[in-house]
Amino acid sequence: MDPLERLQDRPGLRLGIMGGTFDPIHIGHLVTAEEALLQFELDEIVFMPTGEPPHKTRQVASPEARYMMASVATATNPRFWVSRLEIDVPGVDYTVDTLDRLHAECRPEVEFFFITGADAVLDILTWKEPERLLGLCEVIAATRPGYDLGRLAGVLADLPHKENVHVMEIPALAVSSSMIRERLAQGKSVRYLVTEGVAALIAKSDLYRLPVAQSQGGRDPGHG
Ligand code: NAP
């Protein structure tokens, strides 16, 4: 059962939607979700891996692989869930369409908080119907401390509901998916940067093109 079916009838729910490609999911994402729960007094977080991510030009791991990694990474947290909603919808996923669908399926008083990277939010004007999106949810833009977000005020200046965008600094976001992919491609350790289960899945499925010597030699990518 998709977690949204389980949660949709909960009265007064404050629901975090963690949007991202999660290629792969790492500890920065998990810390971000936990911090959003605390700072915004959310009840649950639903991780929503993209199916076909908008604007992506590089090769991305399959939606099923990213869904599997997100499920394994979040399994031990009773307030973290993973939804297939965007994965199962054919074609490009637009956040405004996802929020429309969530509003249609949940009770009217449910409040949605869309959590994603600040870099992605800086491009919000290129997203589908950004004005309407900000009327459907609060947006939490997660960033690492010290990252220059000076451009954000200008980006949001003409948008109605711009007060619905919040910046949240997360030191653990010094970790990034691109850093993990690069390390794996170079045969370097990703131990403690991803959960043990995710490291095992990556090794088992030979994701991110581990060098042949490492992927066939039985070494876990968590080992340095
Ligand atoms: P991205 O460009 O791959 O990521 C931009 C930055 O944000 C990266 O530094 C990334 O780090 C970080 N990031 C992404 N998701 C995060 C999360 N949940 N928490 C913390 N940091 C995060 O962005 P993307 O993954 O393609 O898109 C992010 C979300 O925005 C998705 O849900 C996507 O559907 C939505 N989006 C919608 C539209 C639209 O509606 N037209 C357009 C663009 C994006 P990592 O690589 O380490 O994650």
Side-chain angles (χ1 to χ4, degrees), residues 18-21 26 29 50 56 94-95 114 116-117 119 127 176-177:
M18 186 74 176
T21 311
H26 54 70
H29 297 129
T50 54
K56 278 276 182 285
Y94 295 107
T95 302
F114 185 73
T116 197
D119 266 357
W127 295 18
S176 70
S177 298

Side-chain angles (χ1 to χ4, degrees), residues 174-195:
V175 178
S176 70
S177 298
S178 58
M179 172 211 280
I180 308 270
R181 293 192 303 271
E182 275 164 32
R183 291 183 70 93
L184 287 166
Q186 293 165 5
K188 289 184 180 164
S189 167
V190 293
R191 174 171 270 179
Y192 307 126
L193 301 176
V194 299
T195 66

Side-chain angles (χ1 to χ4, degrees), residues 52-58 92 94 123 126-128:
E52 210 174 292
H55 309 326
K56 278 276 182 285
T57 46
R58 68 171 177 82
V92 172
Y94 295 107
D123 288 337
T126 67
W127 295 18
K128 183 178 171 187

Side-chain angles (χ1 to χ4, degrees), residues 21-57:
T21 311
F22 303 122
D23 189 25
I25 190 165
H26 54 70
I27 55 140
H29 297 129
L30 299 171
V31 173
T32 298
E34 184 69 12
E35 193 57 29
L37 264 181
L38 291 172
Q39 281 194 27
F40 292 86
E41 299 179 341
L42 309 183
D43 297 301
E44 312 276 345
I45 302 274
V46 174
F47 286 71
M48 181 79 66
T50 54
E52 210 174 292
H55 309 326
K56 278 276 182 285
T57 46

Side-chain angles (χ1 to χ4, degrees), residues 98-144:
T98 299
L99 264 297
D100 273 341
R101 205 161 148 199
L102 293 173
H103 274 281
E105 289 180 8
C106 293
R107 292 168 72 120
E109 76 272 18
V110 173
E111 292 175 68
F112 293 100
F113 296 76
F114 185 73
I115 309 155
T116 197
D119 266 357
V121 177
L122 280 172
D123 288 337
I124 199 165
L125 294 181
T126 67
W127 295 18
K128 183 178 171 187
E129 301 180 58
E131 307 83 3
R132 207 163 64 74
L133 175 65
L134 289 187
L136 294 172
C137 63
E138 309 255 338
V139 172
I140 303 176
T143 188
R144 59 181 189 275

Side-chain angles (χ1 to χ4, degrees), residues 139-155:
V139 172
I140 303 176
T143 188
R144 59 181 189 275
Y147 186 78
D148 183 10
L149 279 177
R151 219 160 45 82
L152 188 60
V155 167

